[in-house]
């Protein structure tokens, strides 16, 4: 019923068939769950300013962060040109990768796949990405994406040889990351100006 009403959407994992996650589509519902519901008594006591001061982290993590991630995924799937991603994105989503060597998992805020080729050929992974609302992204984020791309290159069924590393942040990028991206065409930085101003 929630899916039919458009309040909930099922997002398939682009890298693992049969695995999906559910996402609340309406930010007001997310706001209610993250901010209003836990502080209902204080709000009834007209302590809204106190509630708001104490809810800033929950608001950022539960409302702003996920909404910004979805906006960047929409940008990659609908507005980023083929020269930006190295092809047209046919599917964009979030995914989780497991690193068998370290027995850790890596969450990817963005995975952009090309068209499904005929004849069972590997599907192109155009880009993988890190998206953050309130954190400045830096060199460590590129290093982590490099590691994940190496894992993808060894994964059957996908072609990640030319995958680009997309980093998007509303808070900006470190000077080191700006210097890295200037020398590496595979590293794409998407700030608010690029996100809203076009590709």
């Amino acid at each position: 019923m929630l899916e039919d009403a458009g309040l909930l959407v099922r997002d398939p994992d682009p890298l693992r068939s049969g695995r999906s996650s559910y996402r609340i589509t309406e930010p007001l519902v997310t706001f209610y769950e993250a901010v209003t519901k836990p502080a209902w008594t204080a709000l009834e006591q007209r302590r809204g300013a106190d509630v708001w001061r104490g809810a800033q982290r929950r608001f950022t993590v539960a409302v702003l962060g996920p909404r910004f991630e979805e906006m960047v995924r929409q940008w990659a799937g609908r507005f980023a040109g083929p020269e930006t991603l190295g092809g047209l994105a046919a599917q964009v989503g979030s995914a989780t990768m497991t690193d068998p060597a370290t027995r850790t998992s890596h969450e990817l805020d963005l995975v952009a796949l090309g068209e499904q080729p005929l004849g069972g050929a590997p599907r192109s992974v155009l880009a993988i990405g890190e998206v953050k609302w309130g954190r400045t992204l830096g060199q460590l984020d590129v290093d982590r994406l490099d590691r994940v791309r190496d894992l993808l290159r060894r994964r059957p069924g996908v072609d990640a040889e030319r995958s680009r590393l997309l980093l998007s942040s509303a808070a900006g990028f470190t000077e080191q990351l700006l210097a890295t991206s200037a020398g590496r065409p595979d590293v794409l930085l998407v700030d608010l100006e690029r996100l809203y101003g076009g590709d």
Side-chain angles (χ1 to χ4, degrees), residues 139-153:
Q139 187 61 43
L140 288 176
D141 297 297
V142 174
D143 296 342
R144 186 181 79 86
L145 290 176
D146 270 327
R147 171 66 182 152
V148 174
R149 183 171 56 186
D150 287 341
L151 293 170
L152 279 170
R153 285 174 172 157

Side-chain angles (χ1 to χ4, degrees), residues 100-122:
T102 60
R103 295 183 180 175
T104 58
S105 62
H106 296 276
E107 289 186 13
L108 293 169
D109 299 322
L110 179 141
V111 176
L113 300 180
E115 292 287 348
Q116 181 70 56
L118 299 174

Side-chain angles (χ1 to χ4, degrees), residues 130 137 141-142 145 165-168 173 177 187-190:
E130 180 79 3
L137 297 181
D141 297 297
V142 174
L145 290 176
L165 310 181
L166 187 149
L167 297 102
S168 182
F173 311 102
L177 178 53
V187 175
L188 305 172
L189 302 185
V190 180

Side-chain angles (χ1 to χ4, degrees), residues 21-73:
S21 60
Y22 286 89
R23 175 174 49 84
I24 297 172
T25 58
E26 176 52 61
L28 286 175
V29 175
T30 308
F31 181 88
Y32 172 79
E33 289 293 326
V35 177
T36 307
K37 187 177 176 182
W40 194 255
T41 301
L43 290 171
E44 285 181 328
Q45 296 168 348
R46 300 182 185 272
R47 293 171 43 213
D50 295 334
V51 169
W52 184 239
R53 275 193 296 274
Q56 291 299 302
R57 177 161 170 70
R58 285 195 315 274
F59 177 66
T60 300
V61 171
V63 181
L64 293 179
R67 189 68 189 144
F68 184 64
E69 290 174 14
E70 181 57 26
M71 288 172 62
V72 174
R73 287 191 288 268

Side-chain angles (χ1 to χ4, degrees), residues 75 79 192-199:
W75 176 85
F79 302 108
L192 291 178
E193 182 178 350
R194 189 171 189 184
L195 187 64
Y196 285 98
D199 190 30

Side-chain angles (χ1 to χ4, degrees), residues 113-134:
L113 300 180
E115 292 287 348
Q116 181 70 56
L118 299 174
R123 192 171 186 184
S124 177
V125 180
L126 301 176
I128 58 175
E130 180 79 3
V131 181
K132 290 294 172 275
W133 168 260

